[in-house]
Every structure is written in structure tokens, then in C-alpha cells.
Amino acid sequence: MKVVVERFNEQGTLRFQLAGPIGVITIDRSSQRNALTQDMWKTMKNWVVSLPSKTRLLVIRGAGSDFTAGSDIKEFSVLTVDQANIAFETMEETISAIENVSIPTIASINGPAFGAGFILALACDVRIGTENAMFGMPVGKLGVTLQPPFLRRMIQTLGPSRTKDLIYTARSYKANQAMELGILNYLVPSVKLDSETISLARRMLLQSRASLLAVKKNVNLVLSGMQMETGYWVDNNDFKEGVRAFTEKRPAHF
């Protein structure tokens, strides 16, 4: 197993673990509810854009009882308005990198995912959470004017009206509401979150890698309004193995 640990101030760390084909990024800054500093956002982006070639799936999780409270507001208290705008650009670059990485991504959520932490979760392809999961975007309390990239991810999941309501009222969604609204794909007991996340990852990795990469790419193209590539409906290797396995009544070996 490959493990990389980056330490930051106030006892915060980011960890990257690679166990076989599964990469896991853990946000660990419990004293600040796993809030991310600018340096932490930058490090996460660097890891995502330079994942080891054998990584076939990426999990993002928070240590302890929080996913992440988003960005560190205490850090913002010493920034100028221009510096704060640059900090938001850094967040968006990181979140965009996660959204556009070619492999499937899972957000494993125990506890609150607020602000940029909510958007980070939405940028992942699939979200699995516990009864302690909560989601909110209380930017109206801070005078933050959300720009289209952040709002797009909320609108795609919640629709325009719920997105506005969430921000207008600074309310938050609990786990059951999040399941009903499509924020969460899976709701599991907190004591089983890690095992259920790995089980989900392994189930996804049983599928054709070509199929997973294609759906990730083409869903993003559809959502961006760009025209999908045509002419290649099957993968030369995986399709042959999948059909052969089906006819032989055995699991496929991709």
C-alpha cells in the first residue's frame, strides 16, 4: 500500500492511500471540522491531477465526525477581498480537477459537508453517507457571492428553486432529506461507512473499465452542452470479454 501524508498548520493533514487500484484522499483536521486551508486545496489538486497510473477509482473522505466544513474561514479573516477571490479560484480549480478526473470518484460522507465542502461532494460521481451527514451552503452569512461554477453543481442536483432556497434561507439538509433530493446515492450506518464505501468501490471496479471511463467522459460532455463523440459504441477488448463471459455464464475478467 502506498501512503503519502502532507502536514499543515494546526495539526491538519491530508493523506493519500493507494490500495491496489483504489486511491483514498482523507481530510484530517478535526480541530477545525476538517476545514481546508488554501495550501490544502492546492495539495489536493496536485494529487488528483497526478494520480498513480494504476489508480482506477478515487475516494474522498473526511476523518472523524466531519466530511469537511469547506474552506477555513479563519484564514479568510486576514485576506483582502482580492486575495479572497484568488482563494475561491483555487477552490474551484481543485473541485474542477476532481469533477473532471477520468476515473470514477466516490465521496464518503460522515457528518457535515458545508460550503465548498458541499460542492466538493457534489463534484464526485457518487455519494455515500451516514445518518450524520448534513449539507448546506450558508454563504449569505458571509457575504460570499457564488459564481456559476459552484452554482451549476447545485442546480444539476437540486434544481434552480431548491438551490435558491438553500442559499436564501441558510438551511441545511439532513441525511434523509439528502437521499430524497438525490444528494446522496447511498445511506448507511456510520459504523459501516468505511466498509460499505470499499464494497461499493469494488463493485464498481468489477465493471468494464472502458465502460466506466466512457460514461464519466460522456456524462460530463452532456452536462456541459458539448457534442458527444460518436462511432465507438463498444471497446475492442472489454466488449469481447463481456460477451464471452455472458455466454459462458461466468463473471467477466476486465
Side-chain angles (χ1 to χ4, degrees):
M1 176 185 291
K2 177 181 179 179
V3 180
V4 178
V5 179
E6 185 76 20
R7 300 188 184 279
F8 302 88
N9 292 332
E10 297 186 47
Q11 300 179 338
T13 66
L14 284 177
R15 294 195 304 274
F16 175 77
Q17 298 168 275
L18 183 63
I22 302 174
V24 181
I25 292 177
T26 301
I27 305 163
D28 190 351
R29 196 171 176 232
S30 57
S31 64
Q32 302 298 322
R33 305 191 72 179
N34 292 340
L36 292 152
T37 65
Q38 289 185 72
D39 287 340
M40 295 174 82
W41 283 112
K42 292 175 183 176
T43 297
M44 191 184 300
K45 176 193 171 184
N46 291 338
W47 286 355
V48 170
V49 300
S50 58
L51 289 169
S53 59
K54 68 181 293 185
T55 312
R56 289 185 55 197
L57 184 145
L58 179 65
V59 175
I60 298 179
R61 62 186 294 274
S65 58
D66 296 277
F67 180 64
T68 169
S71 283
D72 185 353
I73 302 304
K74 291 182 179 179
E75 185 180 59
F76 273 63
S77 67
V78 298
L79 301 181
T80 66
V81 170
D82 287 342
Q83 289 172 329
N85 283 325
I86 292 172
F88 272 95
E89 290 293 335
T90 298
M91 289 179 231
E92 171 54 29
E93 288 173 2
T94 302
I95 293 169
S96 180
I98 292 166
E99 184 176 51
N100 292 305
V101 68
S102 61
I103 59 176
T105 54
I106 299 173
S108 183
I109 304 163
N110 184 33
F114 288 145
F118 183 20
I119 304 301
L120 174 62
L122 291 179
C124 293
D125 299 321
V126 177
R127 290 165 292 281
I128 181 170
T130 75
E131 68 277 7
N132 301 317
M134 293 181 65
F135 303 87
M137 183 58 67
V139 292
K141 297 180 179 181
L142 300 170
V144 174
T145 56
L146 289 185
Q147 295 302 300
F150 268 44
L151 289 170
R152 171 182 58 79
R153 299 178 182 99
M154 296 177 66
I155 292 168
Q156 285 171 350
T157 302
L158 298 173
S161 181
R162 285 197 178 98
T163 295
K164 292 175 184 176
D165 176 66
L166 194 67
I167 297 170
Y168 287 173
T169 63
R171 63 182 295 187
S172 58
Y173 292 129
K174 295 183 179 180
N176 287 336
Q177 294 171 295
M179 276 293 293
E180 293 173 1
L181 296 172
I183 298 171
L184 285 176
N185 302 91
Y186 301 90
L187 182 57
V188 300
S190 57
V191 293
K192 293 186 176 181
L193 178 60
D194 290 342
S195 62
E196 292 288 346
T197 299
I198 295 302
S199 177
L200 173 62
R202 289 174 175 164
R203 180 173 181 176
M204 293 166 70
L205 291 175
L206 290 175
Q207 315 308 311
S208 160
R209 185 177 188 183
S211 296
L212 298 184
L213 297 182
V215 74
K216 176 71 178 273
K217 177 180 179 181
N218 288 328
V219 166
N220 284 348
L221 286 175
V222 169
L223 293 177
S224 68
M226 296 176 64
Q227 185 175 358
M228 289 191 299
E229 297 178 5
T230 59
Y232 299 95
W233 292 90
V234 299
D235 179 77
N236 186 49
N237 295 317
D238 283 5
F239 179 68
K240 292 178 181 178
E241 166 60 12
V243 172
R244 189 180 301 115
F246 180 83
T247 59
E248 295 174 0
K249 295 181 170 53
R250 62 170 175 80
H253 303 292
F254 296 118

